Amino acid sequence: MIAKIVQTQSQEQDRPFCAYLYDLTKLRNHVNSLMTTLPSSCRLFYAIKANSDVMILKALAPIVNGFEVASLGEIEKVRNIDRTIPILFGGPGKTHHEIEMAIEYGVTLLHVESLHEIKLVNYIAMQKKVSVSILLRVNLRHSVPSAKLKMAGVPTQFGIDETEIDMAISLIEGLPNLELQGFHFHAMSNNTDSKSHASFVDHCYELTKNWSSKWELDIKYVNVGGGIGINYLQLDKQFDWEDFTEQLEKVLEKHNDKSWNTLFECGRYITSSCGYYAAEVLDIKQNHGEYFCILRGGSHHLRLPAAWKQSHPFTVIPVEKWPYSFERPEVIDEKITVAGELCTPNDVLAREVIISKLRVGDILLFSYAGAYGWAISHHNFLSHPHPERIYLDRDSLIKQYGFVNEGMSFEAKT
Ligand SMILES: *Cc1c(COP(=O)(O)O)cnc(C)c1O
């Protein structure tokens, strides 16, 4: 269906096609099914840094338990679309002003990331004469080995070293305006293995149990973070959600004397599959014996494959239109590298992919582009026009040109 829409939309315009497409119906169905299959004591939050597009936030707000944010800007994005939805606020290096505003905006839980931050939050809470509910973010000594990026288990800037948590708790005991409600363990990104993810949750529970009984804490939440991954390299081998929820039931059963809520704050796993990036082939050439195609688009719109130095999955959408009298460049059954329009050799979206047929004017459709795609890209490098945004919502199509509040939209049409 997406391919069909890209085909029709591209026929309607003269300039080369370049767009992000978001299937909001698919997004709703996906997240509804996650919500209904999670054990009842679990809560699912969306980590908006994966994609904070307003249409996506609006589609998710009625479904998820809340949003996880990492800056005042993200808090405001959420509050602009929903005045009351629960917000979890984490991230290293929160400023005095950010903490004040987080309290003003009614953030539900603050994830505190250092001993200094504990004192700062308490100081601000005292001045405002309020009590602030916090989770301590733990930087674990051991992490999940199969994950792509590690925020814990190796030295990183996140959270409080596992070995200093006792010190942090004893510090909080003496601070009147903080209410310690549990621990936060976000420790990895892009884990595609359901079993190791479930045993990670188990580990989080074990640690929480130890601290809770040692310090007689009144724990409400165990936040196990996000980090559930997408297998970009083997699309048919995705994270086994069904197996994960089965394992998770067993883990929670094992700790069933605890009435704690398990919080998930997933980004990638929520929005990745609903997003597509489509870009037209502008040129095909052979250099040093290797084929390259050049797109109207590139890593300034979809930086993920360049950032991870891996090929992003795509399919070819054939477009029959060819307006010129001269020959149309094409390759048949060749290995080709997909490059963008930027003047840097790093602007590569896929490397040495075997292709049965590709012509200038065809469109490449990249799937799993809904998370960490546009959101992490350097949009204005080289000042090319931004892609269009097309939203599929039930049976309607909503088109927007350019991205709101950002310099370079080439057409301000809705
Ligand atoms: C980025 C982030 C998430 C979401 O991570 P995903 O890998 O996208 O699920 C959750 N929690 C924190 C603290 C984060 O920084």
Side-chain angles (χ1 to χ4, degrees), residues 47 49-50 68 70 90-91 111 113 137 151 158 184 186 188-190 225-228 265-269 371-372:
K49 78 168 186 283
E68 188 268 349
H111 300 152
E113 302 235 0
R137 180 166 184 184
M151 285 71 176
F158 305 107
H184 173 272
H186 178 71
M188 77 207 96
S189 186
N190 214 48
I228 296 178
E265 41 183 40
C266 295
R268 189 186 315 274
Y269 195 63
Y372 305 112

Side-chain angles (χ1 to χ4, degrees), residues 197-216:
H197 213 80
S199 65
F200 169 74
V201 176
D202 186 38
H203 185 55
C204 299
Y205 259 78
E206 290 295 340
L207 287 175
T208 305
K209 236 163 44 179
N210 293 344
W211 288 315
S212 156
S213 63
K214 179 167 173 191
W215 292 91
E216 293 177 8

Side-chain angles (χ1 to χ4, degrees), residues 230 261 296 353 413:
I230 294 295
N261 284 130
R296 157 60 194 118
V353 182
K413 195 157 80 176

Side-chain angles (χ1 to χ4, degrees), residues 227-244:
I228 296 178
I230 294 295
N231 193 337
Y232 298 96
L233 305 176
Q234 288 174 286
L235 294 183
D236 56 341
K237 293 208 172 73
Q238 293 304 337
F239 185 88
D240 189 341
W241 178 262
E242 198 181 321
D243 179 61
F244 174 64

Side-chain angles (χ1 to χ4, degrees), residues 18-30:
C18 180
Y20 263 98
L21 297 100
Y22 295 116
D23 187 339
L24 300 179
T25 309
K26 183 176 178 180
L27 175 67
R28 285 194 193 93
N29 291 342
H30 172 55

